[in-house]
Amino acid sequence: MTVEEKFILLTGETDYDSVSLFLNEAEATVLEKTNRPAMIDDLVHFKLDLAIARYNRNGEEGESSHSEGGVSRSYLSDDDILKGCEKYLLTPLARRMLDAEKKTEEV
């Protein structure tokens, strides 16, 4: 099952543009947080978790909790969701080496 299919299954969202937007934004955040040029399999669940959390928070951005009509909701921050992906962080040197290796392969 693809990450898109999982997102649709878990959220019920049917608009493919919205699905792509949430997943692409989550992927960009994960890559920025880990200093990686591309996704690796071990990071896909962070991408999915972050995209779903942002989808669920849609319309209530900036709030850590929301209460209305006797219903209370609390939201995890992006940093809370991405805890654990630090072990996949590339150091600046490792990133430069990876980029240089990729450049060499292209030539």
Side-chain angles (χ1 to χ4, degrees), residues 8-32:
I8 291 168
L9 181 68
L10 293 168
T11 62
E13 180 61 59
T14 57
D15 179 29
Y16 186 74
D17 289 337
S18 292
V19 171
S20 293
L21 177 67
F22 281 104
L23 289 171
N24 289 338
E25 290 294 321
E27 181 172 323
T29 301
V30 170
L31 293 176
E32 181 181 327

PDB file of all heavy atoms in Angstrom, residues 8-32:
ATOM      1  N   ILE A   8      -5.240   8.361   2.565  1.00  0.00           N
ATOM      2  CA  ILE A   8      -6.658   8.380   2.187  1.00  0.00           C
ATOM      3  C   ILE A   8      -7.458   7.466   3.099  1.00  0.00           C
ATOM      4  O   ILE A   8      -8.537   7.832   3.576  1.00  0.00           O
ATOM      5  CB  ILE A   8      -6.825   7.994   0.708  1.00  0.00           C
ATOM      6  CG1 ILE A   8      -6.262   9.108  -0.189  1.00  0.00           C
ATOM      7  CG2 ILE A   8      -8.282   7.716   0.371  1.00  0.00           C
ATOM      8  CD1 ILE A   8      -6.100   8.714  -1.647  1.00  0.00           C
ATOM      9  N   LEU A   9      -6.949   6.285   3.371  1.00  0.00           N
ATOM     10  CA  LEU A   9      -7.631   5.321   4.231  1.00  0.00           C
ATOM     11  C   LEU A   9      -7.806   5.867   5.652  1.00  0.00           C
ATOM     12  O   LEU A   9      -8.871   5.744   6.253  1.00  0.00           O
ATOM     13  CB  LEU A   9      -6.854   4.003   4.268  1.00  0.00           C
ATOM     14  CG  LEU A   9      -7.433   2.883   5.104  1.00  0.00           C
ATOM     15  CD1 LEU A   9      -8.739   2.382   4.474  1.00  0.00           C
ATOM     16  CD2 LEU A   9      -6.454   1.734   5.227  1.00  0.00           C
ATOM     17  N   LEU A  10      -6.765   6.503   6.176  1.00  0.00           N
ATOM     18  CA  LEU A  10      -6.796   6.988   7.558  1.00  0.00           C
ATOM     19  C   LEU A  10      -7.562   8.298   7.743  1.00  0.00           C
ATOM     20  O   LEU A  10      -8.073   8.562   8.826  1.00  0.00           O
ATOM     21  CB  LEU A  10      -5.370   7.137   8.089  1.00  0.00           C
ATOM     22  CG  LEU A  10      -4.615   5.818   8.257  1.00  0.00           C
ATOM     23  CD1 LEU A  10      -3.134   6.067   8.510  1.00  0.00           C
ATOM     24  CD2 LEU A  10      -5.216   4.999   9.382  1.00  0.00           C
ATOM     25  N   THR A  11      -7.640   9.108   6.684  1.00  0.00           N
ATOM     26  CA  THR A  11      -8.301  10.407   6.816  1.00  0.00           C
ATOM     27  C   THR A  11      -9.666  10.462   6.138  1.00  0.00           C
ATOM     28  O   THR A  11     -10.487  11.303   6.493  1.00  0.00           O
ATOM     29  CB  THR A  11      -7.445  11.538   6.216  1.00  0.00           C
ATOM     30  OG1 THR A  11      -7.273  11.304   4.801  1.00  0.00           O
ATOM     31  CG2 THR A  11      -6.102  11.643   6.912  1.00  0.00           C
ATOM     32  N   GLY A  12      -9.872   9.635   5.142  1.00  0.00           N
ATOM     33  CA  GLY A  12     -11.117   9.689   4.379  1.00  0.00           C
ATOM     34  C   GLY A  12     -11.107  10.785   3.323  1.00  0.00           C
ATOM     35  O   GLY A  12     -12.106  10.999   2.632  1.00  0.00           O
ATOM     36  N   GLU A  13     -10.002  11.486   3.184  1.00  0.00           N
ATOM     37  CA  GLU A  13      -9.882  12.564   2.186  1.00  0.00           C
ATOM     38  C   GLU A  13      -9.904  11.958   0.781  1.00  0.00           C
ATOM     39  O   GLU A  13      -9.218  10.986   0.506  1.00  0.00           O
ATOM     40  CB  GLU A  13      -8.579  13.345   2.396  1.00  0.00           C
ATOM     41  CG  GLU A  13      -8.358  14.475   1.422  1.00  0.00           C
ATOM     42  CD  GLU A  13      -9.435  15.533   1.490  1.00  0.00           C
ATOM     43  OE1 GLU A  13      -9.637  16.129   2.559  1.00  0.00           O
ATOM     44  OE2 GLU A  13     -10.080  15.761   0.446  1.00  0.00           O
ATOM     45  N   THR A  14     -10.698  12.540  -0.097  1.00  0.00           N
ATOM     46  CA  THR A  14     -10.813  12.012  -1.461  1.00  0.00           C
ATOM     47  C   THR A  14     -10.229  12.949  -2.507  1.00  0.00           C
ATOM     48  O   THR A  14     -10.061  12.550  -3.656  1.00  0.00           O
ATOM     49  CB  THR A  14     -12.285  11.726  -1.816  1.00  0.00           C
ATOM     50  OG1 THR A  14     -13.041  12.929  -1.645  1.00  0.00           O
ATOM     51  CG2 THR A  14     -12.852  10.619  -0.945  1.00  0.00           C
ATOM     52  N   ASP A  15      -9.931  14.180  -2.133  1.00  0.00           N
ATOM     53  CA  ASP A  15      -9.361  15.140  -3.078  1.00  0.00           C
ATOM     54  C   ASP A  15      -7.862  14.873  -3.207  1.00  0.00           C
ATOM     55  O   ASP A  15      -7.092  15.112  -2.266  1.00  0.00           O
ATOM     56  CB  ASP A  15      -9.627  16.567  -2.588  1.00  0.00           C
ATOM     57  CG  ASP A  15      -9.032  17.618  -3.517  1.00  0.00           C
ATOM     58  OD1 ASP A  15      -8.922  17.354  -4.732  1.00  0.00           O
ATOM     59  OD2 ASP A  15      -8.667  18.695  -3.012  1.00  0.00           O
ATOM     60  N   TYR A  16      -7.447  14.373  -4.371  1.00  0.00           N
ATOM     61  CA  TYR A  16      -6.055  13.994  -4.566  1.00  0.00           C
ATOM     62  C   TYR A  16      -5.108  15.185  -4.413  1.00  0.00           C
ATOM     63  O   TYR A  16      -3.990  15.039  -3.928  1.00  0.00           O
ATOM     64  CB  TYR A  16      -5.850  13.329  -5.928  1.00  0.00           C
ATOM     65  CG  TYR A  16      -4.453  12.794  -6.094  1.00  0.00           C
ATOM     66  CD1 TYR A  16      -4.055  11.636  -5.430  1.00  0.00           C
ATOM     67  CD2 TYR A  16      -3.508  13.470  -6.853  1.00  0.00           C
ATOM     68  CE1 TYR A  16      -2.753  11.161  -5.541  1.00  0.00           C
ATOM     69  CE2 TYR A  16      -2.215  13.002  -6.975  1.00  0.00           C
ATOM     70  CZ  TYR A  16      -1.849  11.846  -6.315  1.00  0.00           C
ATOM     71  OH  TYR A  16      -0.567  11.385  -6.419  1.00  0.00           O
ATOM     72  N   ASP A  17      -5.545  16.390  -4.811  1.00  0.00           N
ATOM     73  CA  ASP A  17      -4.687  17.570  -4.663  1.00  0.00           C
ATOM     74  C   ASP A  17      -4.393  17.855  -3.189  1.00  0.00           C
ATOM     75  O   ASP A  17      -3.271  18.198  -2.824  1.00  0.00           O
ATOM     76  CB  ASP A  17      -5.336  18.793  -5.313  1.00  0.00           C
ATOM     77  CG  ASP A  17      -5.346  18.707  -6.838  1.00  0.00           C
ATOM     78  OD1 ASP A  17      -4.503  17.972  -7.400  1.00  0.00           O
ATOM     79  OD2 ASP A  17      -6.193  19.378  -7.458  1.00  0.00           O
ATOM     80  N   SER A  18      -5.406  17.699  -2.341  1.00  0.00           N
ATOM     81  CA  SER A  18      -5.207  17.900  -0.896  1.00  0.00           C
ATOM     82  C   SER A  18      -4.278  16.835  -0.324  1.00  0.00           C
ATOM     83  O   SER A  18      -3.389  17.142   0.475  1.00  0.00           O
ATOM     84  CB  SER A  18      -6.540  17.852  -0.152  1.00  0.00           C
ATOM     85  OG  SER A  18      -7.331  18.953  -0.486  1.00  0.00           O
ATOM     86  N   VAL A  19      -4.489  15.597  -0.737  1.00  0.00           N
ATOM     87  CA  VAL A  19      -3.635  14.494  -0.276  1.00  0.00           C
ATOM     88  C   VAL A  19      -2.190  14.794  -0.643  1.00  0.00           C
ATOM     89  O   VAL A  19      -1.283  14.713   0.196  1.00  0.00           O
ATOM     90  CB  VAL A  19      -4.094  13.146  -0.885  1.00  0.00           C
ATOM     91  CG1 VAL A  19      -3.091  12.051  -0.585  1.00  0.00           C
ATOM     92  CG2 VAL A  19      -5.483  12.778  -0.377  1.00  0.00           C
ATOM     93  N   SER A  20      -1.958  15.164  -1.897  1.00  0.00           N
ATOM     94  CA  SER A  20      -0.600  15.465  -2.361  1.00  0.00           C
ATOM     95  C   SER A  20       0.006  16.638  -1.610  1.00  0.00           C
ATOM     96  O   SER A  20       1.185  16.606  -1.244  1.00  0.00           O
ATOM     97  CB  SER A  20      -0.610  15.778  -3.861  1.00  0.00           C
ATOM     98  OG  SER A  20      -0.945  14.647  -4.596  1.00  0.00           O
ATOM     99  N   LEU A  21      -0.794  17.674  -1.382  1.00  0.00           N
ATOM    100  CA  LEU A  21      -0.305  18.852  -0.670  1.00  0.00           C
ATOM    101  C   LEU A  21       0.172  18.498   0.732  1.00  0.00           C
ATOM    102  O   LEU A  21       1.296  18.840   1.123  1.00  0.00           O
ATOM    103  CB  LEU A  21      -1.393  19.922  -0.604  1.00  0.00           C
ATOM    104  CG  LEU A  21      -1.032  21.175   0.184  1.00  0.00           C
ATOM    105  CD1 LEU A  21       0.083  21.948  -0.520  1.00  0.00           C
ATOM    106  CD2 LEU A  21      -2.248  22.052   0.371  1.00  0.00           C
ATOM    107  N   PHE A  22      -0.661  17.797   1.495  1.00  0.00           N
ATOM    108  CA  PHE A  22      -0.285  17.448   2.865  1.00  0.00           C
ATOM    109  C   PHE A  22       0.947  16.540   2.884  1.00  0.00           C
ATOM    110  O   PHE A  22       1.847  16.728   3.702  1.00  0.00           O
ATOM    111  CB  PHE A  22      -1.450  16.789   3.605  1.00  0.00           C
ATOM    112  CG  PHE A  22      -2.467  17.765   4.100  1.00  0.00           C
ATOM    113  CD1 PHE A  22      -3.681  17.916   3.450  1.00  0.00           C
ATOM    114  CD2 PHE A  22      -2.222  18.555   5.211  1.00  0.00           C
ATOM    115  CE1 PHE A  22      -4.627  18.828   3.895  1.00  0.00           C
ATOM    116  CE2 PHE A  22      -3.156  19.476   5.672  1.00  0.00           C
ATOM    117  CZ  PHE A  22      -4.366  19.606   5.007  1.00  0.00           C
ATOM    118  N   LEU A  23       1.002  15.566   1.988  1.00  0.00           N
ATOM    119  CA  LEU A  23       2.144  14.646   1.964  1.00  0.00           C
ATOM    120  C   LEU A  23       3.422  15.339   1.494  1.00  0.00           C
ATOM    121  O   LEU A  23       4.499  15.104   2.052  1.00  0.00           O
ATOM    122  CB  LEU A  23       1.831  13.429   1.099  1.00  0.00           C
ATOM    123  CG  LEU A  23       0.819  12.461   1.696  1.00  0.00           C
ATOM    124  CD1 LEU A  23       0.411  11.413   0.684  1.00  0.00           C
ATOM    125  CD2 LEU A  23       1.355  11.802   2.959  1.00  0.00           C
ATOM    126  N   ASN A  24       3.327  16.198   0.491  1.00  0.00           N
ATOM    127  CA  ASN A  24       4.513  16.901   0.001  1.00  0.00           C
ATOM    128  C   ASN A  24       5.066  17.867   1.042  1.00  0.00           C
ATOM    129  O   ASN A  24       6.285  17.964   1.223  1.00  0.00           O
ATOM    130  CB  ASN A  24       4.206  17.645  -1.303  1.00  0.00           C
ATOM    131  CG  ASN A  24       4.010  16.707  -2.474  1.00  0.00           C
ATOM    132  OD1 ASN A  24       4.464  15.571  -2.459  1.00  0.00           O
ATOM    133  ND2 ASN A  24       3.311  17.182  -3.488  1.00  0.00           N
ATOM    134  N   GLU A  25       4.174  18.579   1.724  1.00  0.00           N
ATOM    135  CA  GLU A  25       4.625  19.500   2.772  1.00  0.00           C
ATOM    136  C   GLU A  25       5.262  18.731   3.935  1.00  0.00           C
ATOM    137  O   GLU A  25       6.278  19.157   4.493  1.00  0.00           O
ATOM    138  CB  GLU A  25       3.455  20.350   3.275  1.00  0.00           C
ATOM    139  CG  GLU A  25       2.969  21.366   2.266  1.00  0.00           C
ATOM    140  CD  GLU A  25       3.988  22.443   1.967  1.00  0.00           C
ATOM    141  OE1 GLU A  25       4.674  22.899   2.899  1.00  0.00           O
ATOM    142  OE2 GLU A  25       4.099  22.819   0.788  1.00  0.00           O
ATOM    143  N   ALA A  26       4.677  17.610   4.304  1.00  0.00           N
ATOM    144  CA  ALA A  26       5.242  16.797   5.387  1.00  0.00           C
ATOM    145  C   ALA A  26       6.608  16.247   4.985  1.00  0.00           C
ATOM    146  O   ALA A  26       7.547  16.244   5.795  1.00  0.00           O
ATOM    147  CB  ALA A  26       4.287  15.655   5.737  1.00  0.00           C
ATOM    148  N   GLU A  27       6.731  15.807   3.744  1.00  0.00           N
ATOM    149  CA  GLU A  27       8.015  15.286   3.269  1.00  0.00           C
ATOM    150  C   GLU A  27       9.087  16.372   3.306  1.00  0.00           C
ATOM    151  O   GLU A  27      10.213  16.129   3.746  1.00  0.00           O
ATOM    152  CB  GLU A  27       7.882  14.740   1.853  1.00  0.00           C
ATOM    153  CG  GLU A  27       9.173  14.163   1.317  1.00  0.00           C
ATOM    154  CD  GLU A  27       9.010  13.452  -0.003  1.00  0.00           C
ATOM    155  OE1 GLU A  27       7.975  12.793  -0.223  1.00  0.00           O
ATOM    156  OE2 GLU A  27       9.952  13.541  -0.825  1.00  0.00           O
ATOM    157  N   ALA A  28       8.739  17.570   2.878  1.00  0.00           N
ATOM    158  CA  ALA A  28       9.705  18.676   2.902  1.00  0.00           C
ATOM    159  C   ALA A  28      10.178  18.955   4.328  1.00  0.00           C
ATOM    160  O   ALA A  28      11.365  19.192   4.563  1.00  0.00           O
ATOM    161  CB  ALA A  28       9.077  19.928   2.284  1.00  0.00           C
ATOM    162  N   THR A  29       9.260  18.892   5.277  1.00  0.00           N
ATOM    163  CA  THR A  29       9.621  19.127   6.674  1.00  0.00           C
ATOM    164  C   THR A  29      10.538  18.034   7.195  1.00  0.00           C
ATOM    165  O   THR A  29      11.532  18.312   7.878  1.00  0.00           O
ATOM    166  CB  THR A  29       8.352  19.229   7.547  1.00  0.00           C
ATOM    167  OG1 THR A  29       7.543  20.302   7.061  1.00  0.00           O
ATOM    168  CG2 THR A  29       8.701  19.463   9.002  1.00  0.00           C
ATOM    169  N   VAL A  30      10.225  16.782   6.885  1.00  0.00           N
ATOM    170  CA  VAL A  30      11.055  15.655   7.329  1.00  0.00           C
ATOM    171  C   VAL A  30      12.454  15.763   6.730  1.00  0.00           C
ATOM    172  O   VAL A  30      13.459  15.575   7.423  1.00  0.00           O
ATOM    173  CB  VAL A  30      10.397  14.303   6.971  1.00  0.00           C
ATOM    174  CG1 VAL A  30      11.356  13.145   7.209  1.00  0.00           C
ATOM    175  CG2 VAL A  30       9.116  14.109   7.771  1.00  0.00           C
ATOM    176  N   LEU A  31      12.532  16.081   5.441  1.00  0.00           N
ATOM    177  CA  LEU A  31      13.840  16.198   4.789  1.00  0.00           C
ATOM    178  C   LEU A  31      14.647  17.356   5.383  1.00  0.00           C
ATOM    179  O   LEU A  31      15.857  17.232   5.589  1.00  0.00           O
ATOM    180  CB  LEU A  31      13.672  16.376   3.281  1.00  0.00           C
ATOM    181  CG  LEU A  31      13.103  15.166   2.543  1.00  0.00           C
ATOM    182  CD1 LEU A  31      12.901  15.497   1.071  1.00  0.00           C
ATOM    183  CD2 LEU A  31      13.992  13.948   2.712  1.00  0.00           C
ATOM    184  N   GLU A  32      13.979  18.453   5.656  1.00  0.00           N
ATOM    185  CA  GLU A  32      14.665  19.598   6.272  1.00  0.00           C
ATOM    186  C   GLU A  32      15.169  19.243   7.666  1.00  0.00           C
ATOM    187  O   GLU A  32      16.290  19.576   8.042  1.00  0.00           O
ATOM    188  CB  GLU A  32      13.705  20.781   6.353  1.00  0.00           C
ATOM    189  CG  GLU A  32      14.310  22.018   6.947  1.00  0.00           C
ATOM    190  CD  GLU A  32      13.311  23.163   7.023  1.00  0.00           C
ATOM    191  OE1 GLU A  32      12.434  23.263   6.153  1.00  0.00           O
ATOM    192  OE2 GLU A  32      13.416  23.943   7.981  1.00  0.00           O
TER     193      GLU A  32
END
